[in-house]
Coordinates of all heavy atoms in Angstrom, one line a residue:
L172 N 29.6 4.3 37.3 CA 28.4 3.9 36.6 C 28.2 4.6 35.3 O 27.9 4.0 34.3 CB 27.2 4.1 37.5 CG 27.0 3.2 38.6 CD1 25.9 3.7 39.6 CD2 26.5 1.8 38.1
E175 N 30.4 2.8 32.8 CA 29.8 1.5 32.4 C 28.7 1.7 31.5 O 28.5 1.0 30.5 CB 29.4 0.7 33.7 CG 30.5 0.2 34.5 CD 30.0 -0.6 35.8 OE1 28.7 -0.7 35.9 OE2 30.8 -1.0 36.5
V176 N 27.8 2.7 31.7 CA 26.7 3.0 30.9 C 27.1 3.4 29.5 O 26.5 3.0 28.5 CB 25.7 4.0 31.6 CG1 24.6 4.5 30.6 CG2 25.1 3.4 32.8
D179 N 28.1 0.3 27.8 CA 26.9 -0.4 27.4 C 26.3 0.2 26.1 O 25.8 -0.5 25.3 CB 25.9 -0.4 28.5 CG 26.3 -1.2 29.7 OD1 27.2 -2.1 29.6 OD2 25.8 -1.0 30.8
M232 N 17.6 7.1 36.5 CA 18.7 6.3 36.2 C 18.4 4.8 36.3 O 18.6 4.0 35.5 CB 20.0 6.6 36.9 CG 20.5 8.0 36.4 SD 22.1 8.4 37.2 CE 21.5 9.4 38.5
R233 N 17.8 4.5 37.5 CA 17.4 3.1 37.8 C 16.4 2.6 36.8 O 16.6 1.4 36.3 CB 16.9 3.0 39.2 CG 16.5 1.5 39.4 CD 16.0 1.1 40.7 NE 15.5 -0.2 40.7 CZ 15.4 -1.0 41.6 NH1 15.8 -0.6 42.8 NH2 14.9 -2.2 41.5
G235 N 16.1 3.6 33.7 CA 16.8 3.4 32.5 C 17.6 2.0 32.5 O 17.6 1.3 31.5
I236 N 18.2 1.7 33.6 CA 19.0 0.5 33.7 C 18.0 -0.7 33.6 O 18.4 -1.7 33.1 CB 19.8 0.5 34.9 CG1 20.8 1.7 35.0 CG2 20.6 -0.8 35.0 CD1 21.8 1.7 33.8
E237 N 16.9 -0.6 34.3 CA 15.9 -1.7 34.2 C 15.5 -1.9 32.8 O 15.4 -3.1 32.3 CB 14.6 -1.3 35.0 CG 14.8 -1.2 36.5 CD 14.8 -2.5 37.3 OE1 14.5 -3.6 36.7 OE2 15.0 -2.4 38.5
G238 N 15.3 -0.8 32.0 CA 14.9 -1.0 30.6 C 16.1 -1.6 29.8 O 15.9 -2.5 28.9
K239 N 17.3 -1.3 30.1 CA 18.5 -1.8 29.5 C 18.6 -3.3 29.7 O 18.9 -4.1 28.8 CB 19.7 -1.1 29.9 CG 21.0 -1.6 29.2 CD 22.2 -0.8 29.6 CE 22.4 -0.8 31.1 NZ 23.7 -0.1 31.5
G240 N 18.3 -3.7 31.0 CA 18.3 -5.1 31.3 C 17.3 -5.9 30.5 O 17.6 -7.0 30.0
C241 N 16.1 -5.3 30.2 CA 15.1 -5.9 29.4 C 15.6 -6.1 27.9 O 15.4 -7.1 27.3 CB 13.8 -5.1 29.4 SG 13.0 -5.1 31.0
L242 N 16.3 -5.1 27.5 CA 17.0 -5.1 26.1 C 17.8 -6.3 26.0 O 17.8 -7.1 25.1 CB 17.7 -3.9 25.8 CG 18.7 -3.9 24.6 CD1 17.9 -4.0 23.3 CD2 19.6 -2.7 24.6
W243 N 18.8 -6.5 27.0 CA 19.7 -7.5 27.0 C 19.1 -8.9 27.0 O 19.4 -9.9 26.3 CB 20.8 -7.4 28.0 CG 21.6 -6.1 28.0 CD1 21.9 -5.5 29.1 CD2 22.2 -5.5 26.9 NE1 22.7 -4.3 28.8 CE2 22.8 -4.3 27.4 CE3 22.2 -5.6 25.6 CZ2 23.5 -3.4 26.6 CZ3 22.8 -4.7 24.7 CH2 23.5 -3.6 25.2
R244 N 18.0 -9.0 27.9 CA 17.2 -10.2 27.9 C 16.5 -10.6 26.6 O 16.5 -11.7 26.2 CB 16.2 -10.3 29.1 CG 16.8 -10.5 30.4 CD 15.7 -10.7 31.5 NE 14.9 -9.5 31.7 CZ 15.3 -8.4 32.4 NH1 16.5 -8.4 32.9 NH2 14.5 -7.4 32.6
F261 N 25.1 -11.3 25.9 CA 24.0 -10.7 26.6 C 23.8 -11.1 28.0 O 23.3 -10.3 28.8 CB 22.7 -10.9 25.7 CG 22.9 -10.4 24.4 CD1 22.9 -11.2 23.2 CD2 23.2 -9.0 24.1 CE1 23.1 -10.8 22.0 CE2 23.4 -8.5 22.8 CZ 23.4 -9.4 21.7
E262 N 24.2 -12.3 28.4 CA 24.1 -12.7 29.7 C 25.1 -11.8 30.6 O 24.7 -11.4 31.7 CB 24.5 -14.2 29.9 CG 23.5 -15.1 29.3 CD 24.0 -16.6 29.3 OE1 25.1 -16.9 29.7 OE2 23.2 -17.4 28.7
A263 N 26.2 -11.6 30.1 CA 27.2 -10.7 30.8 C 26.7 -9.3 30.9 O 26.8 -8.7 32.0 CB 28.6 -10.8 30.1
L264 N 26.1 -8.8 29.8 CA 25.5 -7.4 29.9 C 24.4 -7.3 30.9 O 24.2 -6.4 31.6 CB 25.2 -7.0 28.5 CG 26.3 -6.7 27.5 CD1 25.9 -6.6 26.1 CD2 27.1 -5.4 28.0
E265 N 23.6 -8.4 30.9 CA 22.4 -8.4 31.8 C 22.9 -8.5 33.2 O 22.4 -7.8 34.1 CB 21.5 -9.6 31.5 CG 20.3 -9.6 32.2 CD 19.4 -10.8 31.9 OE1 19.7 -11.5 30.9 OE2 18.3 -11.0 32.6
Q266 N 23.9 -9.3 33.5 CA 24.5 -9.3 34.9 C 25.0 -8.0 35.3 O 24.9 -7.5 36.4 CB 25.6 -10.4 35.0 CG 25.1 -11.8 34.9 CD 26.2 -12.8 34.8 OE1 27.3 -12.5 34.8 NE2 25.8 -14.1 34.8
R267 N 25.7 -7.3 34.4 CA 26.2 -5.9 34.7 C 25.0 -5.0 35.0 O 25.1 -4.2 35.9 CB 27.1 -5.4 33.6 CG 27.6 -4.0 33.9 CD 28.9 -3.6 33.2 NE 28.6 -3.4 31.8 CZ 29.6 -3.2 30.9 NH1 30.9 -3.2 31.3 NH2 29.3 -3.1 29.6
A268 N 24.0 -5.1 34.2 CA 22.8 -4.3 34.5 C 22.2 -4.6 35.9 O 21.8 -3.6 36.6 CB 21.7 -4.5 33.5
H269 N 22.2 -5.8 36.3 CA 21.7 -6.1 37.7 C 22.6 -5.5 38.7 O 22.1 -5.0 39.7 CB 21.6 -7.7 37.9 CG 20.5 -8.3 37.2 ND1 19.2 -8.0 37.4 CD2 20.5 -9.3 36.2 CE1 18.4 -8.7 36.7 NE2 19.2 -9.5 35.9
A270 N 23.9 -5.6 38.5 CA 24.8 -4.9 39.5 C 24.6 -3.5 39.5 O 24.7 -2.8 40.6 CB 26.3 -5.3 39.1
Q271 N 24.4 -2.8 38.4 CA 24.2 -1.4 38.3 C 22.8 -1.0 39.0 O 22.8 0.0 39.8 CB 24.1 -0.9 36.8 CG 25.4 -1.0 36.1 CD 25.3 -0.9 34.6 OE1 24.2 -0.9 34.1 NE2 26.4 -0.7 34.0
I272 N 21.8 -1.8 38.9 CA 20.6 -1.6 39.6 C 20.8 -1.7 41.1 O 20.3 -0.8 41.9 CB 19.5 -2.6 39.2 CG1 19.1 -2.3 37.7 CG2 18.3 -2.6 40.1 CD1 18.3 -3.5 37.1
Y273 N 21.6 -2.7 41.6 CA 21.9 -2.8 43.0 C 22.6 -1.5 43.5 O 22.2 -1.0 44.6 CB 22.7 -4.1 43.2 CG 23.1 -4.2 44.7 CD1 22.2 -4.8 45.6 CD2 24.3 -3.8 45.2 CE1 22.5 -4.9 47.0 CE2 24.6 -3.9 46.5 CZ 23.7 -4.5 47.4 OH 24.1 -4.6 48.7
E274 N 23.6 -1.1 42.8 CA 24.3 0.1 43.2 C 23.4 1.4 43.2 O 23.5 2.2 44.1 CB 25.5 0.3 42.2 CG 26.4 1.5 42.6 CD 27.2 1.4 43.9 OE1 27.4 0.3 44.3 OE2 27.5 2.4 44.5
L275 N 22.6 1.5 42.2 CA 21.7 2.6 42.1 C 20.7 2.6 43.2 O 20.4 3.7 43.8 CB 21.0 2.7 40.8 CG 21.9 3.2 39.6 CD1 21.2 3.0 38.3 CD2 22.2 4.7 39.8
E276 N 20.2 1.4 43.5 CA 19.3 1.4 44.6 C 19.9 1.8 46.0 O 19.2 2.5 46.8 CB 18.6 -0.1 44.7 CG 17.5 -0.2 45.8 CD 16.3 0.7 45.5 OE1 16.2 1.4 44.5 OE2 15.5 0.7 46.5

Side-chain angles (χ1 to χ4, degrees):
L172 285 168
E175 289 179 2
V176 168
D179 293 342
M232 287 183 266
R233 179 175 171 159
I236 300 299
E237 295 275 359
K239 180 176 60 176
C241 291
L242 164 69
W243 301 140
R244 279 190 297 283
F261 301 114
E262 288 170 7
L264 289 165
E265 188 178 352
Q266 287 174 0
R267 182 157 66 187
H269 285 300
Q271 292 167 347
I272 290 166
Y273 178 82
E274 180 67 25
L275 283 169
E276 183 61 8

